[in-house]
Amino acid sequence: MSDNINNSINRIIKMETIFDEAQEKIKKLEEAIEDFANFQSEIQKLEDYYQSKEWKEDFKLDESGELPKDLKRGVLSEDGIFNLLEKNSDLDKLIK
């Protein structure tokens, strides 16, 4: 085989590897986007909670030390929940 054909074969093999990997990544991204879109109703529940009087009451309980110390409560972190909802909104706009 000539060098020209060997170069073409090597190039095709390399591009085929990239092609296969791109297909896999696109498939995973499509699945992740679908999962994200399907989860929006749950995120809406989180946003509704954050804007509710119940969140304010829970936040006050946390601030006054009335909640158990070992209770996971990231949802009561004002910055944490706000940033998550903002990031969700940005991503939602990006994929629409």
Side-chain angles (χ1 to χ4, degrees), residues 13 16-17 21 29 34 59 66 79 85-86 91:
I13 290 169
E16 196 62 28
T17 300
E21 190 172 342
L29 180 58
E34 183 178 346
F59 182 80
E66 295 181 58
D79 290 342
L85 293 171
E86 283 296 305
L91 288 172

Side-chain angles (χ1 to χ4, degrees), residues 23-67:
Q23 282 187 313
E24 171 126 359
K25 290 183 182 302
I26 288 170
K27 180 182 176 189
K28 286 181 181 179
L29 180 58
E30 288 173 334
E31 291 169 354
I33 289 171
E34 183 178 346
D35 186 45
F36 175 76
N38 291 336
F39 198 69
Q40 288 306 300
S41 62
E42 293 300 305
I43 293 176
Q44 184 60 54
K45 291 176 189 176
L46 183 63
E47 187 168 354
D48 292 346
Y49 169 65
Y50 180 55
Q51 296 172 352
S52 73
K53 69 176 186 170
E54 285 86 7
W55 184 88
K56 290 178 180 107
E57 290 169 3
D58 295 345
F59 182 80
K60 287 178 185 175
L61 288 173
D62 186 38
E63 289 288 300
S64 66
E66 295 181 58
L67 297 176

Side-chain angles (χ1 to χ4, degrees), residues 68-90:
K69 296 290 182 205
D70 61 345
L71 177 65
K72 188 172 189 249
R73 53 184 171 276
V75 295
L76 299 179
S77 164
E78 289 180 276
D79 290 342
I81 195 168
F82 178 83
N83 291 341
L84 179 130
L85 293 171
E86 283 296 305
K87 187 175 287 186
N88 178 73
S89 178
D90 290 347

Side-chain angles (χ1 to χ4, degrees), residues 1-13:
M1 259 186 273
S2 72
D3 284 344
N4 197 25
I5 291 176
N6 280 334
N7 288 341
S8 289
I9 290 170
N10 288 335
R11 185 172 44 251
I12 291 167
I13 290 169

